[in-house]
Structures are given as structure tokens and as C-alpha cells.
Amino acid sequence: MKKQLHPLVGGTLLLTAAGLMTRLIGFFYKIFLSRAIGAEGIGIYQMIFPIYGVCYALTTSGAEIAVSRFVSRENGAGRPQSARQVLRVGLLLALGLAIPTAFLLYENAAFLARNILQETRTVQLLQIMAFTIPFGACHSCICGYYYGLKKPAVPAAAQLFEQLSRVGAVFLIYRVACEQGMGLSPLTAVIGLVIGEFASMLFCVFCVSGQSAPPGKSADGSGAPSLFSLTRQMLAMALPVTGNRLCMNLLASAESILLPLCLQQYGLSTKQALSVYGTLSGMALSFILFPSVLTGALSVMLLPSVSESQAAGDDASLSRTVRKTVSFCLPLGISFTVLFLLFGRFLGNFFFRSTLAGDFILTLAWICPFLYLNHTLHSILNGLGRTGTGFFNNLAGILIRILFVLCFVPRFGIEGYLWGLLAGQLIVCGMNLASLQEFLHN
């Protein structure tokens, strides 16, 4: 008989393949953007993502994780109809927050650009970005449903379809603009973001609506929670996750907003500060985060697997999962640290035509082992229901980075921030490992 892959391994490989293709497309897209709109344009474009992160945390993050975990529970109990009910509740919760959030963002874009981001050129970008919020909420919940079923093919395809739609739309606009003697602006990149999210949502809705009614016990069958009970249970999980993510994204937004301002205190002009910020966030980090496609795929599949093992009381399986995660992520991170140390300057110069990007890659290489490991350890903590522990550990890391931004960047420039990134990742990694030590020694 042909031996089948374990769902965790098979799902991780599938998501890794899709993520790798998506990252490759996105990587070359970043190179294209860096040359089409320049380092300053990249900096302005990147400035809106802290606001996007806050909106996503408020409307989607808790609902997606709750859908994934409860679908896994209901499907594992032989109640696939109840699993569909979980999806409906998750969509209702997410869209109930996403639509008013998008409206408020659109109406208050000028205030946010002027008083929060301190950059009036981001007004239109924020207004256009507001349209992505309901689309993203819908497609994230549907992806959470398929993750809970351990069927990552649809989320993987949706991820790839979103990237292709985004890049294809921007490239089409670029060709039209070239024919008319015009150039691209950061606004074009945001329009591509909206088109990508909309296309991904349509794809997910088409897939889930075309799925035949699952056999098994009905949502009202024996042991299945009532609609009220299910909603209450999902809220009980989603609200703390949403609160944690919202807090983290607010702090991350503060970090991203403070960094260009502190660079100006160091002595850079507004244009220079935005260029340095754009080079770091839009160019150098593209390389550093590229290998995380492996750990990101593993993190997504770990949550439902860990939840099932915990529900079954299988501590031995949990211990194996944690140990294998560490033994995979640490060598991966060390390998890429060596790679970036050897070729960092060449990569920055060759791909982005930027010596500064190469210097950033060289410095950031040291965070790779801790960065890749932290992604997966945080997912394990969420799967175990220890969302508070994961939140506290990540909170410590981001507060360290903000401290470095405020205290070291005005004196030492961008180097002060890079030191903060390394210190934060190192400390969070130690705290995550300490939180899971019982599984490391079994």
C-alpha cells in the first residue's frame, strides 16, 4: 500500500511550495517597484502598512485563528456540518468589524496621515487601502476553515492567485503609463494590493460555495454545540487573540512611525529618512524574510495539529513536535546567517543597486536563527491555548525595539535600530523556549 504523508508534513510542503512561488514573484515585484518608484516611494508605500496591520488585527486575526481551531475540533469529532457553522459564525464576526473599520479608515485617512503618520502624501493610499479590509477578512476566514480541515490546497492557491493578480494589475498599469509617458507612484502599488485581495476573496468564495455538503452529523446533532454556544466559545477565543494582536500592531505602528522621525533627529532630512526606511523595510528585509516561507507554512499547519494533540492528551506527540520544530528551524536560520554574511553586500548591490541595502542585509543576518524559530514557537503556544504567554513574550520584544528606536537611533542612526532588532529577537526566543521547556525535556 502506498504510504501517505502525515497531514502536517504534506500541508507544510504544499504551503511551502505555494509560498515559495509567491515570495519569488513578490521578491522580483519589490525589485521592480524599487526601480519604478524609488527608495523614497517605497518608504511612503511602506508607511501605510502599520495602519493596515492594526485594521487586520482588529477585524480578522482573532476570527481566523478561532475558525481554524474550532473547525479542527468539530471536524475531528465527526461533525463536519458543525464545522461549516463555525465558518459562518467566523465570517459574521469578521465582516461585522471589517466593514465599519473600512468606512472609518476611509473617512479619517486625512487625519491619520497628518497626525499619526506625519506624511500627507499617504492620504490617498490609506483611502484606497481601506477597500482591502472586508476582502481580506472574508478570504482569511475561509482560509482558516481549510486550515482547520488540514486541506491547505485552497489557501495555497488563493495566496498564489492574490500575488499574481496584484503583480499583473500593477504591471498592466505600468505598461499603460509608459505608453502615455507617465511614471508609477506609490498609489499604483496600493491599487494592486486591493485588486489582489479582491481576486483572492472571489477565489475563496468560489471554492467554498462549490464544495458539496459534507456528510456526517448535523450541526444540531449529538454533541454539537448550539449556534449561541458556538458563537460564545469562538468569541471567548477570538477576543483575547484580537486584543493581543491589536496591542502588538499598535506598538508596531508606533515603532514604524517613530523610526523615520528619530532618523530625522539623528540629522537626516525627511527625504533621506524615508529613503533609509524604505531601503530597510522594502528591500533588505525582503531577503531576510524570504526563507521564512518555510517556517511560515509550518506555523500555519502547527496550530491545528497541536490543538488536536492537546485535546487527545497526547503529550508525547506534543514533545516530538516541539523538538522537531527547534531542530528544523535553528539549522535553517544558522545556514541563512552564514549565507547572508558571505553574500549580503553582493545581493543588495546586484538586485537593488543599493550599497545601503547590502549593509543592512549583512547586519540583519544575525537575527535569522531567532526570527525563524520564533514564528513556529509562537504558533505552538497559540495551538496550546497559551495566547497570553505568546502575547507577553512578543510584547517584551517589541518594547525592546521601541526603546532602541527612542534611545539609540537619535544618537547612532539606523544602526541603533538594527541592534534593537537583534536584542529583541534573541530575548523573545529565550522566553518562548522557556515557556515550552516541559516539552523539550520529555
Side-chain angles (χ1 to χ4, degrees), residues 366-367 370 374 396-398 400-401 404 408 416-431:
W366 297 103
I367 74 171
F370 317 113
N374 280 333
I398 199 166
I400 289 168
R401 298 204 305 267
F404 272 76
F408 290 90
Y417 178 65
L418 300 180
W419 300 337
L421 280 175
L422 178 58
Q425 288 293 335
L426 180 59
I427 290 171
V428 171
C429 187
M431 294 173 70

mmCIF file of all heavy atoms in Angstrom, residues 366-367 370 374 396-398 400-401 404 408 416-431:
data_model
loop_
_atom_site.group_PDB
_atom_site.id
_atom_site.type_symbol
_atom_site.label_atom_id
_atom_site.label_comp_id
_atom_site.label_asym_id
_atom_site.label_seq_id
_atom_site.Cartn_x
_atom_site.Cartn_y
_atom_site.Cartn_z
ATOM 1 N N TRP A 366 22.275 38.232 11.446
ATOM 2 C CA TRP A 366 22.418 37.610 12.760
ATOM 3 C C TRP A 366 21.081 37.280 13.414
ATOM 4 O O TRP A 366 21.032 36.477 14.355
ATOM 5 C CB TRP A 366 23.213 38.536 13.686
ATOM 6 C CG TRP A 366 24.611 38.764 13.217
ATOM 7 C CD1 TRP A 366 25.102 39.870 12.588
ATOM 8 C CD2 TRP A 366 25.709 37.838 13.312
ATOM 9 N NE1 TRP A 366 26.431 39.699 12.274
ATOM 10 C CE2 TRP A 366 26.831 38.466 12.716
ATOM 11 C CE3 TRP A 366 25.844 36.552 13.834
ATOM 12 C CZ2 TRP A 366 28.069 37.839 12.629
ATOM 13 C CZ3 TRP A 366 27.085 35.931 13.761
ATOM 14 C CH2 TRP A 366 28.180 36.572 13.170
ATOM 15 N N ILE A 367 19.970 37.869 12.953
ATOM 16 C CA ILE A 367 18.681 37.598 13.604
ATOM 17 C C ILE A 367 17.998 36.356 13.036
ATOM 18 O O ILE A 367 16.996 35.889 13.594
ATOM 19 C CB ILE A 367 17.712 38.805 13.494
ATOM 20 C CG1 ILE A 367 17.154 38.947 12.078
ATOM 21 C CG2 ILE A 367 18.361 40.087 13.956
ATOM 22 C CD1 ILE A 367 16.042 39.972 11.961
ATOM 23 N N PHE A 370 16.910 33.204 15.285
ATOM 24 C CA PHE A 370 15.890 33.527 16.283
ATOM 25 C C PHE A 370 14.573 33.904 15.623
ATOM 26 O O PHE A 370 13.491 33.533 16.088
ATOM 27 C CB PHE A 370 16.385 34.663 17.182
ATOM 28 C CG PHE A 370 17.814 34.500 17.606
ATOM 29 C CD1 PHE A 370 18.806 35.363 17.165
ATOM 30 C CD2 PHE A 370 18.188 33.451 18.428
ATOM 31 C CE1 PHE A 370 20.128 35.198 17.539
ATOM 32 C CE2 PHE A 370 19.510 33.272 18.825
ATOM 33 C CZ PHE A 370 20.481 34.154 18.366
ATOM 34 N N ASN A 374 11.167 31.772 16.211
ATOM 35 C CA ASN A 374 10.087 32.439 16.949
ATOM 36 C C ASN A 374 8.740 32.303 16.252
ATOM 37 O O ASN A 374 7.700 32.195 16.908
ATOM 38 C CB ASN A 374 10.419 33.924 17.159
ATOM 39 C CG ASN A 374 11.385 34.137 18.307
ATOM 40 O OD1 ASN A 374 11.444 33.334 19.230
ATOM 41 N ND2 ASN A 374 12.155 35.211 18.253
ATOM 42 N N ALA A 396 7.336 41.897 25.010
ATOM 43 C CA ALA A 396 8.672 42.215 25.519
ATOM 44 C C ALA A 396 9.613 42.557 24.358
ATOM 45 O O ALA A 396 10.387 43.526 24.427
ATOM 46 C CB ALA A 396 9.228 41.044 26.327
ATOM 47 N N GLY A 397 9.525 41.786 23.267
ATOM 48 C CA GLY A 397 10.395 42.027 22.126
ATOM 49 C C GLY A 397 10.154 43.369 21.467
ATOM 50 O O GLY A 397 11.101 44.100 21.147
ATOM 51 N N ILE A 398 8.889 43.725 21.260
ATOM 52 C CA ILE A 398 8.604 44.975 20.559
ATOM 53 C C ILE A 398 8.901 46.186 21.441
ATOM 54 O O ILE A 398 9.333 47.244 20.960
ATOM 55 C CB ILE A 398 7.150 45.003 20.041
ATOM 56 C CG1 ILE A 398 7.016 46.047 18.935
ATOM 57 C CG2 ILE A 398 6.152 45.260 21.151
ATOM 58 C CD1 ILE A 398 5.746 45.935 18.137
ATOM 59 N N ILE A 400 11.339 46.327 23.560
ATOM 60 C CA ILE A 400 12.798 46.479 23.462
ATOM 61 C C ILE A 400 13.164 47.239 22.195
ATOM 62 O O ILE A 400 14.010 48.147 22.218
ATOM 63 C CB ILE A 400 13.475 45.086 23.484
ATOM 64 C CG1 ILE A 400 13.363 44.468 24.882
ATOM 65 C CG2 ILE A 400 14.943 45.190 23.062
ATOM 66 C CD1 ILE A 400 13.743 43.013 24.935
ATOM 67 N N ARG A 401 12.512 46.903 21.071
ATOM 68 C CA ARG A 401 12.811 47.591 19.807
ATOM 69 C C ARG A 401 12.443 49.067 19.881
ATOM 70 O O ARG A 401 13.191 49.928 19.408
ATOM 71 C CB ARG A 401 12.074 46.914 18.652
ATOM 72 C CG ARG A 401 12.468 45.460 18.426
ATOM 73 C CD ARG A 401 12.200 45.004 17.012
ATOM 74 N NE ARG A 401 10.836 45.216 16.597
ATOM 75 C CZ ARG A 401 9.861 44.318 16.694
ATOM 76 N NH1 ARG A 401 10.123 43.131 17.254
ATOM 77 N NH2 ARG A 401 8.652 44.568 16.265
ATOM 78 N N PHE A 404 15.023 50.942 21.803
ATOM 79 C CA PHE A 404 16.213 51.212 20.992
ATOM 80 C C PHE A 404 15.949 52.346 19.994
ATOM 81 O O PHE A 404 16.842 53.155 19.735
ATOM 82 C CB PHE A 404 16.647 49.943 20.254
ATOM 83 C CG PHE A 404 17.587 49.076 21.044
ATOM 84 C CD1 PHE A 404 17.116 48.277 22.081
ATOM 85 C CD2 PHE A 404 18.942 49.066 20.760
ATOM 86 C CE1 PHE A 404 17.986 47.475 22.815
ATOM 87 C CE2 PHE A 404 19.824 48.268 21.482
ATOM 88 C CZ PHE A 404 19.343 47.473 22.522
ATOM 89 N N PHE A 408 18.520 55.011 20.989
ATOM 90 C CA PHE A 408 19.755 54.793 20.243
ATOM 91 C C PHE A 408 19.738 55.369 18.827
ATOM 92 O O PHE A 408 20.786 55.789 18.337
ATOM 93 C CB PHE A 408 20.066 53.284 20.184
ATOM 94 C CG PHE A 408 20.472 52.702 21.507
ATOM 95 C CD1 PHE A 408 19.520 52.180 22.360
ATOM 96 C CD2 PHE A 408 21.794 52.699 21.904
ATOM 97 C CE1 PHE A 408 19.883 51.643 23.583
ATOM 98 C CE2 PHE A 408 22.180 52.162 23.134
ATOM 99 C CZ PHE A 408 21.209 51.636 23.980
ATOM 100 N N GLY A 416 21.376 51.837 15.418
ATOM 101 C CA GLY A 416 20.745 51.649 16.716
ATOM 102 C C GLY A 416 19.497 50.794 16.632
ATOM 103 O O GLY A 416 19.212 49.990 17.528
ATOM 104 N N TYR A 417 18.744 50.946 15.542
ATOM 105 C CA TYR A 417 17.535 50.145 15.362
ATOM 106 C C TYR A 417 17.881 48.693 15.054
ATOM 107 O O TYR A 417 17.216 47.764 15.537
ATOM 108 C CB TYR A 417 16.688 50.734 14.239
ATOM 109 C CG TYR A 417 15.434 49.938 13.949
ATOM 110 C CD1 TYR A 417 14.432 49.829 14.911
ATOM 111 C CD2 TYR A 417 15.262 49.278 12.738
ATOM 112 C CE1 TYR A 417 13.282 49.100 14.658
ATOM 113 C CE2 TYR A 417 14.117 48.552 12.480
ATOM 114 C CZ TYR A 417 13.131 48.466 13.442
ATOM 115 O OH TYR A 417 12.002 47.734 13.197
ATOM 116 N N LEU A 418 18.909 48.479 14.258
ATOM 117 C CA LEU A 418 19.328 47.118 13.921
ATOM 118 C C LEU A 418 19.794 46.371 15.174
ATOM 119 O O LEU A 418 19.524 45.174 15.325
ATOM 120 C CB LEU A 418 20.435 47.147 12.869
ATOM 121 C CG LEU A 418 20.071 47.805 11.529
ATOM 122 C CD1 LEU A 418 21.253 47.769 10.582
ATOM 123 C CD2 LEU A 418 18.866 47.132 10.889
ATOM 124 N N TRP A 419 20.469 47.057 16.083
ATOM 125 C CA TRP A 419 20.854 46.439 17.355
ATOM 126 C C TRP A 419 19.605 46.034 18.144
ATOM 127 O O TRP A 419 19.563 44.979 18.764
ATOM 128 C CB TRP A 419 21.696 47.404 18.197
ATOM 129 C CG TRP A 419 22.977 47.843 17.548
ATOM 130 C CD1 TRP A 419 23.678 47.195 16.567
ATOM 131 C CD2 TRP A 419 23.693 49.056 17.811
ATOM 132 N NE1 TRP A 419 24.780 47.931 16.204
ATOM 133 C CE2 TRP A 419 24.825 49.072 16.948
ATOM 134 C CE3 TRP A 419 23.503 50.129 18.664
ATOM 135 C CZ2 TRP A 419 25.750 50.113 16.948
ATOM 136 C CZ3 TRP A 419 24.418 51.171 18.676
ATOM 137 C CH2 TRP A 419 25.534 51.161 17.822
ATOM 138 N N GLY A 420 18.587 46.890 18.105
ATOM 139 C CA GLY A 420 17.345 46.596 18.811
ATOM 140 C C GLY A 420 16.632 45.379 18.242
ATOM 141 O O GLY A 420 16.051 44.582 18.987
ATOM 142 N N LEU A 421 16.644 45.238 16.915
ATOM 143 C CA LEU A 421 16.040 44.058 16.285
ATOM 144 C C LEU A 421 16.702 42.773 16.777
ATOM 145 O O LEU A 421 16.027 41.795 17.108
ATOM 146 C CB LEU A 421 16.173 44.152 14.761
ATOM 147 C CG LEU A 421 15.175 45.029 14.006
ATOM 148 C CD1 LEU A 421 15.549 45.084 12.533
ATOM 149 C CD2 LEU A 421 13.759 44.511 14.162
ATOM 150 N N LEU A 422 18.036 42.779 16.824
ATOM 151 C CA LEU A 422 18.759 41.593 17.264
ATOM 152 C C LEU A 422 18.476 41.290 18.730
ATOM 153 O O LEU A 422 18.181 40.137 19.092
ATOM 154 C CB LEU A 422 20.263 41.796 17.049
ATOM 155 C CG LEU A 422 21.168 40.648 17.521
ATOM 156 C CD1 LEU A 422 20.804 39.347 16.824
ATOM 157 C CD2 LEU A 422 22.637 40.996 17.286
ATOM 158 N N ALA A 423 18.530 42.315 19.584
ATOM 159 C CA ALA A 423 18.286 42.110 21.013
ATOM 160 C C ALA A 423 16.870 41.598 21.260
ATOM 161 O O ALA A 423 16.647 40.683 22.059
ATOM 162 C CB ALA A 423 18.519 43.420 21.774
ATOM 163 N N GLY A 424 15.892 42.180 20.551
ATOM 164 C CA GLY A 424 14.501 41.775 20.736
ATOM 165 C C GLY A 424 14.259 40.330 20.338
ATOM 166 O O GLY A 424 13.627 39.561 21.069
ATOM 167 N N GLN A 425 14.775 39.923 19.169
ATOM 168 C CA GLN A 425 14.569 38.547 18.708
ATOM 169 C C GLN A 425 15.255 37.538 19.623
ATOM 170 O O GLN A 425 14.712 36.464 19.899
ATOM 171 C CB GLN A 425 15.094 38.392 17.274
ATOM 172 C CG GLN A 425 14.260 39.076 16.208
ATOM 173 C CD GLN A 425 12.893 38.452 16.038
ATOM 174 O OE1 GLN A 425 12.683 37.291 16.336
ATOM 175 N NE2 GLN A 425 11.936 39.234 15.556
ATOM 176 N N LEU A 426 16.435 37.882 20.108
ATOM 177 C CA LEU A 426 17.180 36.979 20.987
ATOM 178 C C LEU A 426 16.432 36.749 22.301
ATOM 179 O O LEU A 426 16.279 35.606 22.764
ATOM 180 C CB LEU A 426 18.565 37.569 21.264
ATOM 181 C CG LEU A 426 19.491 36.765 22.180
ATOM 182 C CD1 LEU A 426 19.748 35.385 21.600
ATOM 183 C CD2 LEU A 426 20.803 37.510 22.396
ATOM 184 N N ILE A 427 15.922 37.825 22.881
ATOM 185 C CA ILE A 427 15.216 37.714 24.162
ATOM 186 C C ILE A 427 13.891 36.976 23.996
ATOM 187 O O ILE A 427 13.531 36.118 24.810
ATOM 188 C CB ILE A 427 15.010 39.116 24.766
ATOM 189 C CG1 ILE A 427 16.357 39.679 25.224
ATOM 190 C CG2 ILE A 427 14.028 39.082 25.943
ATOM 191 C CD1 ILE A 427 16.328 41.122 25.647
ATOM 192 N N VAL A 428 13.141 37.270 22.942
ATOM 193 C CA VAL A 428 11.861 36.592 22.707
ATOM 194 C C VAL A 428 12.079 35.102 22.475
ATOM 195 O O VAL A 428 11.307 34.266 22.963
ATOM 196 C CB VAL A 428 11.118 37.224 21.509
ATOM 197 C CG1 VAL A 428 9.897 36.398 21.127
ATOM 198 C CG2 VAL A 428 10.689 38.645 21.846
ATOM 199 N N CYS A 429 13.139 34.757 21.754
ATOM 200 C CA CYS A 429 13.435 33.340 21.504
ATOM 201 C C CYS A 429 13.687 32.610 22.821
ATOM 202 O O CYS A 429 13.160 31.511 23.046
ATOM 203 C CB CYS A 429 14.651 33.219 20.591
ATOM 204 S SG CYS A 429 14.992 31.544 20.054
ATOM 205 N N GLY A 430 14.459 33.215 23.702
ATOM 206 C CA GLY A 430 14.718 32.612 25.005
ATOM 207 C C GLY A 430 13.454 32.447 25.826
ATOM 208 O O GLY A 430 13.245 31.412 26.477
ATOM 209 N N MET A 431 12.566 33.444 25.780
ATOM 210 C CA MET A 431 11.317 33.382 26.539
ATOM 211 C C MET A 431 10.382 32.311 25.971
ATOM 212 O O MET A 431 9.723 31.591 26.724
ATOM 213 C CB MET A 431 10.637 34.750 26.530
ATOM 214 C CG MET A 431 11.413 35.835 27.267
ATOM 215 S SD MET A 431 10.703 37.485 27.084
ATOM 216 C CE MET A 431 9.197 37.322 28.055
#
